[in-house]
Amino acid sequence: MMGWVSQGVRKMNVWKKAMAAVLAMSAGEALAAQTPEPLEVALGDVSLNKVSFLIAADAGIFAKNGLNVRQYITPGAAEVARNSGVVVPPEFVKADIGSAAIAIGGGSPMIYRAANANGPIRILIATTEYHIRDHIIAAPSIKTVADLKGKRLGYSVPGAVTHVGALGFARKMGWTPGKDIVLVGGGNALKPLQDGKEDALMGAGMLFAKAKELKYNDVIDLTAYDIPVAGSSILAERGWLGSHRDMAARFVKSAIEADALMKTNRSAFDAALVKWFNIKDKPTQDAMYREALEIPRKPYPAVEGVKFTFEIYDSAAMRKFKPEDFYDRSFVESLDKSGFIDGLYK
């Protein structure tokens, strides 16, 4: 009898030690989970579509989801912004950011570069821009869309969202680029227009918000032309995504939560513009906020925009890939089906 008791006590002690080890391990894992994982993010250019990511950092949303996110734009993007009157604080500018695990930028240009310039292959896991929403900003002498025929229209670089928009606009008008309208690279800023190097430009929210102030004409909102594009997106490097799906999911969740905060808390939006882009002008802030409210609540990847990119840049290089190689709907779909996104607006 005593032997059985002793044996039972020994077993109980072994069980207690085992449970203590499990509990200690669980506590360690919990502590590790509370330590945000580092993640570098390349913001690309300075644009309205980046503001929600900045708010996610400022409001602690990334940290709440276990991410220590460091976000930067490139010196080139900062220079383009400076040419349009927007000064980005130097601590948010970094040259070596092209290899970041996540980039915030146009899906169409990424696909173009991957096919034509051996650029990194990234997967669209969320998109906030499905159609060209740029405006055409023009010199005072150009007052209508018809006045643009035969003129010089500025865009950034081949494959960029502004280039897709310019080509799509010319197609809608039945104009041949180089004949009926001249497309000018490196021209998506106000300075080339001010210097007389172009007659008009493809401008995003920040540019057309400042156009009236600078006495330029906001000729047309291209949203009405329904030109598909894989615009501003969360782009995850393909190799990294394969082994970091949980981090990617937390980043998408954070971005969607921050977008909801941006739309429901105007002061958070204005504070981000001041801190990150030094935009303090109230009329400019108001114009940008109106545009921000148009960003979709459920940012599924822009499948039609990806397909249009393949169509408009059709070539042997592009045909090495398929549209399906460049997007993954599962991250937004999971948050949508769970009710998380709808819950942010109740």
Side-chain angles (χ1 to χ4, degrees):
M1 181 71 175
M2 289 299 293
W4 293 345
V5 172
S6 298
Q7 187 177 5
V9 170
R10 284 196 299 271
K11 287 182 177 179
M12 182 64 73
N13 289 337
V14 170
W15 180 83
K16 285 181 177 179
K17 288 180 180 178
M19 285 304 298
V22 169
L23 291 172
M25 185 171 62
S26 298
E29 289 173 348
L31 183 61
Q34 292 171 10
T35 304
E37 297 180 82
L39 178 64
E40 280 205 344
V41 174
L43 287 177
D45 62 354
V46 176
S47 65
L48 176 62
N49 291 324
K50 309 302 188 299
V51 177
S52 61
F53 300 98
L54 308 177
I55 290 174
D58 291 341
I61 295 173
F62 284 139
K64 183 180 71 174
N65 286 300
L67 298 172
N68 176 19
V69 175
R70 297 184 295 275
Q71 305 181 101
Y72 304 97
I73 68 167
T74 65
E79 180 61 26
V80 169
R82 191 159 37 250
N83 287 339
S84 296
V86 177
V87 179
V88 180
E91 61 267 30
F92 305 126
V93 180
K94 185 177 180 182
D96 183 21
I97 196 62
S99 61
I102 286 181
I104 311 301
S108 291
M110 179 276 298
I111 294 168
Y112 180 89
R113 288 192 296 268
N116 295 282
N118 295 317
I121 296 176
R122 295 180 179 272
I123 310 300
L124 282 75
I125 56 178
T127 301
T128 58
E129 186 180 19
Y130 302 102
H131 297 88
I132 296 295
R133 299 174 66 237
D134 289 344
H135 291 206
I136 294 181
I137 309 303
S141 60
I142 297 175
K143 303 187 187 311
T144 69
V145 172
D147 292 340
L148 289 166
K149 189 170 185 179
K151 301 298 193 296
R152 300 164 298 170
L153 176 62
Y155 68 95
S156 53
V157 295
V161 169
T162 52
H163 193 231
V164 173
L167 291 173
F169 168 71
R171 178 183 287 196
K172 291 281 186 179
M173 296 297 295
W175 294 347
T176 301
K179 178 182 176 183
D180 300 307
I181 191 167
V182 177
L183 303 185
V184 180
N188 66 319
L190 290 174
K191 193 170 189 307
L193 183 59
Q194 293 168 332
D195 292 345
K197 296 179 179 178
E198 60 195 23
D199 304 298
L201 63 93
M202 300 285 296
M206 258 174 220
L207 288 179
F208 63 72
K210 296 177 74 68
K212 186 175 181 181
E213 171 192 341
L214 297 172
K215 311 301 182 187
Y216 290 114
N217 289 329
D218 188 344
V219 177
I220 183 71
D221 175 356
L222 291 175
T223 304
Y225 285 75
D226 200 26
I227 303 167
V229 69
S232 186
S233 303
I234 298 176
L235 306 170
E237 195 278 323
R238 184 171 61 178
W240 177 87
L241 182 62
S243 56
H244 294 84
R245 293 187 66 84
D246 177 63
M247 282 186 74
R250 284 183 278 137
F251 186 85
V252 172
K253 181 181 179 182
S254 299
I256 291 175
E257 187 174 347
D259 181 62
L261 176 62
M262 175 179 74
K263 292 171 180 173
T264 57
N265 186 333
R266 174 62 192 271
S267 62
F269 178 82
D270 291 347
L273 292 186
V274 173
K275 174 182 175 180
W276 294 82
F277 298 150
N278 200 31
I279 295 177
K280 302 175 182 177
D281 176 66
K282 187 67 165 57
T284 300
Q285 291 177 346
D286 289 344
M288 291 180 67
Y289 187 68
R290 288 192 292 272
E291 287 296 307
L293 294 177
E294 299 299 318
I295 293 174
R297 292 182 177 184
K298 299 178 180 181
Y300 281 92
V303 175
E304 293 307 312
V306 171
K307 292 177 179 177
F308 186 67
T309 303
F310 274 76
E311 176 187 337
I312 206 166
Y313 293 117
D314 183 41
S315 66
M318 291 293 289
R319 289 184 218 118
K320 293 184 297 184
F321 299 94
K322 304 185 300 296
E324 295 78 16
D325 294 332
F326 291 101
Y327 63 84
D328 183 339
R329 290 170 48 91
S330 66
F331 295 95
V332 176
E333 188 172 59
S334 176
L335 292 168
D336 187 7
K337 288 184 175 180
S338 72
F340 172 78
I341 301 175
D342 291 331
L344 294 171
Y345 293 90
K346 289 181 180 178

